[in-house]
Amino acid sequence: MRVLKILLSSTCLLAVPALAQQAPAGQTVATPANWPAAKSQGLIDPATEKFVSELIAKMSVEQKVGQMVQGDIGSVKPEDLRKYPLGSILAGGNSPPLSGDDRSPRKEWIDTSRAFEKVAMEDRAGNLKIPLIFGIDSVHGNANVIGATIFPHNIGLGAAHDPALIRKIGEITAIETAATGIHWAFGPTVASPQNDRWGRTYEGYSEDGAIIAAYAPEVVKGLQGDPGTDKRIQKGFVAASIKHFLGDGGTTDGIDQGDTQIDEATLARVHGAGYPPAINAGAMTAMASYNSWNGVKMHGNKSLLTDVLKGRMGFDGFVVGDWNGHGQVPGCTPTDCAATFNAGLDMAMAPDSWKGLFESTVRDVKSGKIPMSRVDDAVRRILRVKVKLGLFDPARPQEDAPDALGTAAHREVARQAAAKSLVLLKNNGVLPLKASGNVMIAGPGADSIQMQTGGWTLSWQGDGNPNSMFPGATSIYAGIKQAVEAGGGKATLSEDGSFTAKPDVAVVVFGEQPYAEMRGDIRTLEFQPGDKQALALLKKLKAAGIPTVSVFLSGRPLWVNPELNQSDAFVAAWLPGSEGAGVADVLIGDAAGKPRRDFRGTLSFSWPKTAGQFTLNKGDAGYDPLFALGYGLTYAKSGTVAALSEDAGVDASLANTTIYFTKGVTPAPFSFATDSKVTRSAVDGPATQEGAQLLTWPSTPAALRIGGNEPLDLTREANGDLSIQISYKLMTPASTAQVLLQMEGGNNTGAIDATSLFTGQTGTWRTAKIFLKCYVQNGVDLSKVTAPFVVTATGPLSFAVADIRIVSDPNNSTCPGTK
């Protein structure tokens, strides 16, 4: 009840003023008086403003514009700073340090930071020695760095209902970020996800603004210290970035970077809840959102960025953009966008477009298209943050601390957080488990730290990470094994559920594979539509008479009625992070089966009754969840769940938008077709019998097409550096033929000359990854794609294809036909 009182009081403090006039649904210009007031704390003082004013007076146009442009370390090099005086660098989710390995330990990140800083601060004519601010997505710990402590994602922390824990997590995240030479965490996310199909739902604490409002100031103070703290970076604090302003969690159909079509009152009340308390706590930066509000891109909405955020909410820090988000403003490109700065963006995130944006912005400032008053305001805000963060002081004691990442004390907090985040949905008396028993741990997530940490972990999408990349971490299996053996029992890992001696109970760990934005968007809330591998495993164990405990790893509530029906107990474990022992702490009792620790998590998101309840939020008309907001059983308050309907209510084929061919089949809703002149036959794939198609072209032009029923919009995937991956084996090279890669839909006529991919060695399997942006560069319109994979050859060609899908691997992707 103590936490409940905190949440209620936060709600009262953040009451949105009654609207003088109801905002129409199509409104695009905000009225500041309709928004809650706030005021930045601890950012402005006379000494800082005097220092900043004197520095601005010495700066050239080029030096000022440089402060307003941020480049990614995958594109900008330290020596570039001598010509282009950028004010900031970032490491994107897949961007490696200068060593070239994006999965690098601490030292490589420190070396990278120091290499850039050395050039920025070197003695040379005209250099004002303004320090860089280096940012990274430390969204659940500094999870981009090998060996860091990885906390549960925000969706799990929301279920814990513990603001004090959130502050502690912020403090540890700051220490482990500063210790790698990085000064700025791109978090917290204070979105209010309203449609669980959104691929970033797990980055939100809750659908409920009261929980967000209670957490936002605590994580800001954890990352930055209390308002007024000096020498922050020297004390192990970093700048926070409250994001994404505004409405990212409310887009129509849950489409990432989509359009939030709501009135102003709802935008303020639901999606603005976290900003006033975070600003009052001294948040140094805010990140603009990709989405639109009623058709107007946030990166270009002056009424919200300037009039509401900086005006009504009194935000004195600076506003940074998202990855080339400015390029989506009408009339803009990633390399040219005066409109975004005039709207109130202070620093553009221009990862690979920084050079062109710098040059065009210098031009626009000199011409007066961007007023000097706007430039000076942006630069003042940026320099103010650098001063208050302590960047003008070269001391960096955290970088020299020998034991800063993944310490026992830090991991203990992460373990506590994992335990507190668990929500017990069903228990027919099987939990807690006796530590003296014979326990099988099964399922694909049992011994997969990758699955339990999810996206934004070591890479953008969180995939490609074996357990060996998580030194010091504990899988759920390892945690259970330790707890059971300590109680005199036996724990056996069997991913497929096979056994020789029948166990007393099986803990089945399954759920979503890792994903992040865009790739994480789904069209149905059904778990594993059409491919019920986890359900088959549960049925197999039940048929053998083995009690089952399901541990469900997911970044959102999903329709799992069939799996619930087959489980004796069901735990929503969300994405619990690197400390799987926290799960064992709650599931495994003592030798007699008495609880060592009870469940305390309750749902911060409503759980769907059907796979079609895409928007399911308490207070909505017709609210009818399977498990309501706040639901959660405990050992002290147990409960059963009656048999549930297994009618999903949604066509399962709607789910697939990214896999076009795999294991010999074309998953619905796509179909595989060739011109009659192309012969095709089933052949063995690299790992599956008859898991590939052999295609042979004649001496005349012909095509292969994989298409669907509904058009796809792949423009945001192109902006996010996603690629089409093809696994194929060349049989007859295109020695005389030209091979084109195309997409069909709309008025598409462009094509990529991919002939080079179909020459050379024959008879061995190879993989090609082609950036989607290559299609755009070759004149292909990605906004209405009906056939995402088309191959046309003008003459003889033969190859076998085993897999075609969209992936995220920019470091290993190319544009065929370019030098």
Side-chain angles (χ1 to χ4, degrees):
M1 294 302 293
R2 179 176 63 83
V3 173
L4 178 61
K5 290 178 182 177
I6 291 172
L7 298 181
L8 291 174
S9 66
S10 298
T11 308
C12 296
L13 288 171
L14 298 174
V16 176
L19 293 179
Q21 181 177 354
Q22 184 65 35
Q27 181 178 350
T28 60
V29 178
T31 303
N34 293 336
W35 293 71
K39 182 59 182 174
S40 288
Q41 302 297 313
L43 292 183
I44 292 180
D45 63 74
T48 298
E49 297 308 299
K50 180 176 183 293
F51 175 85
V52 170
S53 294
E54 292 173 351
L55 187 53
I56 289 175
K58 300 174 185 176
M59 296 172 71
S60 66
V61 169
E62 288 78 6
Q63 288 168 327
K64 290 178 180 181
V65 169
Q67 291 298 306
M68 300 165 63
V69 177
Q70 180 186 60
D72 183 81
I73 60 173
S75 174
V76 62
K77 303 304 179 189
E79 54 269 24
D80 292 326
L81 300 181
R82 296 190 177 100
K83 182 177 180 181
Y84 300 93
L86 304 187
S88 179
I89 54 173
L90 81 148
N94 287 323
S95 299
L98 294 178
S99 64
D101 183 358
D102 65 331
R103 293 166 174 84
S104 290
R106 176 188 180 192
K107 183 181 183 300
E108 279 73 10
W109 292 98
I110 294 173
D111 290 346
T112 296
S113 177
R114 289 177 176 175
F116 278 97
E117 193 68 11
K118 181 180 179 181
V119 176
M121 303 302 287
E122 68 187 1
D123 289 320
R124 53 187 151 84
N127 186 29
L128 295 177
K129 297 186 179 181
I130 300 173
L132 292 164
I133 183 168
F134 186 179
I136 199 167
D137 285 282
S138 293
V139 295
H140 64 138
N142 191 9
N144 226 32
V145 178
I146 295 284
T149 307
I150 302 172
F151 295 96
H153 269 296
N154 287 352
I155 191 170
L157 298 179
H161 302 281
D162 191 339
L165 173 66
I166 297 308
R167 177 161 185 169
K168 187 65 178 175
I169 289 172
E171 292 171 353
I172 294 171
T173 298
I175 289 170
E176 297 203 3
T177 301
T180 57
I182 300 172
H183 322 120
W184 181 12
F186 295 144
T189 299
V190 292
S192 180
Q194 300 292 291
N195 188 315
D196 295 339
R197 290 181 294 176
W198 186 37
R200 305 189 78 160
T201 295
Y202 65 79
E203 294 187 50
Y205 295 113
S206 179
E207 69 190 41
D208 181 5
I211 295 175
I212 301 167
Y215 274 16
E218 297 308 312
V219 68
V220 167
K221 287 185 285 188
L223 288 167
Q224 297 187 170
D226 288 319
T229 300
D230 64 351
K231 296 185 180 296
R232 297 177 196 238
I233 197 70
Q234 288 78 20
K235 296 175 180 176
F237 294 113
V238 297
S241 187
I242 46 178
K243 66 181 189 182
H244 304 84
F245 192 86
L246 185 67
D248 49 344
T251 60
T252 300
D253 295 328
I255 296 173
D256 189 55
Q257 304 182 21
D259 192 12
T260 300
Q261 300 170 338
I262 55 178
D263 61 36
E264 184 179 12
T266 304
L267 186 68
R269 175 179 55 83
V270 174
H271 299 284
Y275 289 91
I279 291 168
N280 289 337
M284 289 182 161
T285 77
M287 185 179 290
S289 186
Y290 278 119
N291 67 280
S292 305
W293 177 43
N294 294 327
V296 176
K297 281 290 182 180
M298 279 302 312
H299 277 70
N301 194 316
K302 184 176 181 180
S303 71
L304 285 166
L305 291 179
T306 298
D307 301 338
V308 171
L309 180 59
K310 296 179 178 178
R312 177 66 174 175
M313 293 186 183
F315 178 61
D316 294 326
F318 71 83
V319 181
V320 66
D322 209 338
W323 189 278
N324 277 333
H326 57 277
Q328 298 182 14
V329 175
C332 290
T333 67
T335 57
D336 192 345
C337 193
T340 196
F341 295 115
N342 287 334
L345 199 77
D346 300 308
M347 180 186 288
M349 186 183 291
D352 55 355
S353 56
W354 55 272
K355 187 180 294 183
L357 185 65
F358 173 87
E359 292 170 344
S360 68
T361 305
V362 168
R363 178 200 67 210
D364 290 340
V365 173
K366 289 183 175 180
S367 72
K369 189 174 183 179
I370 303 174
M372 186 59 73
S373 59
R374 173 76 271 270
V375 173
D376 286 347
D377 174 63
V379 174
R380 175 173 295 278
R381 290 169 177 273
I382 294 165
L383 294 178
R384 176 186 294 150
V385 167
K386 290 184 176 183
V387 172
K388 303 305 287 187
L389 192 55
L391 296 182
F392 282 88
D393 180 342
R396 300 288 187 271
Q398 293 298 326
E399 295 177 17
D400 298 319
D403 298 313
L405 263 64
T407 66
H410 292 179
R411 291 190 183 278
E412 178 59 27
V413 174
R415 180 173 178 169
Q416 295 286 328
K420 289 181 177 181
S421 71
L422 303 178
V423 180
L424 181 60
L425 300 181
K426 175 181 180 180
N427 186 18
N428 290 347
V430 67
L431 288 175
L433 302 181
K434 291 182 179 180
S436 57
N438 180 8
V439 181
M440 173 197 290
I441 304 93
D447 196 33
S448 173
I449 300 175
Q450 170 179 277
M451 279 187 66
Q452 68 193 47
T453 52
W456 292 110
T457 306
L458 301 184
S459 64
W460 176 31
Q461 298 289 331
D463 51 8
N465 301 320
N467 286 359
S468 60
M469 288 188 176
F470 298 91
T474 306
S475 70
I476 292 173
Y477 157 68
I480 291 175
K481 182 175 187 290
Q482 183 181 40
V484 169
E485 291 180 351
K490 178 183 178 182
T492 304
L493 176 65
S494 175
E495 185 173 318
D496 65 359
S498 60
F499 58 88
T500 52
K502 183 178 176 181
D504 299 327
V505 65
V507 178
V508 185
V509 188
F510 62 95
E512 294 185 291
Q513 293 296 323
Y515 57 83
E517 58 194 300
M518 295 186 288
R519 204 174 85 182
D521 287 1
I522 55 177
R523 294 189 174 188
T524 170
L525 294 181
E526 181 177 359
F527 172 63
Q528 290 187 339
D531 185 21
K532 300 281 188 185
Q533 295 180 27
L535 181 61
L537 176 56
L538 290 170
K539 287 182 175 180
K540 170 184 171 180
L541 294 168
K542 188 168 186 176
I546 301 171
T548 55
V549 176
S550 287
V551 176
F552 187 54
L553 302 174
S554 73
R556 57 191 138 210
L558 289 171
W559 186 76
V560 287
N561 285 16
E563 290 81 6
L564 275 160
N565 284 340
Q566 295 296 322
S567 304
D568 295 292
F570 198 100
V571 178
W574 314 111
L575 299 167
S578 60
E579 307 311 304
V583 177
D585 289 340
V586 184
L587 268 59
I588 309 300
D590 62 16
K594 292 182 180 179
R596 296 184 300 144
R597 179 172 192 150
D598 205 346
F599 287 89
R600 59 164 291 170
T602 61
L603 293 178
S604 59
F605 286 83
S606 304
W607 200 280
K609 184 177 289 184
T610 75
Q613 290 179 303
F614 307 139
T615 55
L616 182 66
N617 304 294
K618 189 173 183 180
D620 290 352
Y623 180 69
D624 184 28
L626 178 61
F627 303 118
L629 183 78
Y631 175 90
L633 303 174
T634 66
Y635 293 139
K637 180 188 173 183
S638 190
T640 59
V641 177
L644 302 170
S645 168
E646 297 192 6
D647 180 3
V650 176
D651 182 356
S653 70
L654 292 175
N656 180 36
T657 61
T658 61
I659 302 175
Y660 308 132
F661 186 77
T662 186
K663 297 178 181 178
V665 299
T666 308
F670 300 103
S671 58
F672 194 114
T674 61
D675 292 344
S676 58
K677 293 175 286 187
V678 177
T679 63
R680 51 185 286 201
S681 59
V683 295
D684 290 346
T688 308
Q689 186 176 6
E690 295 196 355
Q693 284 279 313
L694 177 62
L695 305 159
T696 302
W697 270 255
S699 58
T700 54
L704 151 70
R705 294 176 181 83
I706 296 179
N709 299 321
E710 297 295 325
L712 299 173
D713 184 351
L714 298 176
T715 53
R716 63 200 178 115
E717 284 83 353
N719 179 60
D721 281 350
L722 269 66
S723 306
I724 278 196
Q725 174 180 283
I726 314 165
S727 175
Y728 65 109
K729 179 167 63 174
L730 188 62
M731 307 304 290
T732 301
S735 55
T736 61
Q738 182 184 38
V739 184
L740 301 177
L741 291 179
Q742 300 164 288
M743 292 189 184
E744 293 182 352
N747 297 315
N748 267 326
T749 57
I752 296 173
D753 186 344
T755 306
S756 61
L757 299 180
F758 295 91
T759 60
Q761 185 178 6
T762 61
T764 59
W765 287 100
R766 59 172 87 172
T767 299
K769 298 173 186 177
I770 301 99
F771 280 119
L772 290 173
K773 64 185 178 184
C774 304
Y775 287 85
V776 177
Q777 293 165 4
N778 283 275
V780 178
D781 180 4
L782 299 184
S783 64
K784 296 178 180 178
V785 175
T786 54
F789 188 75
V790 179
V791 179
T792 300
T794 61
L797 172 69
S798 179
F799 66 91
V801 62
D803 194 90
I804 307 168
R805 66 180 66 210
I806 290 192
V807 300
S808 171
D809 190 6
N811 296 323
N812 295 296
S813 298
T814 61
C815 283
T818 61
K819 296 181 180 179

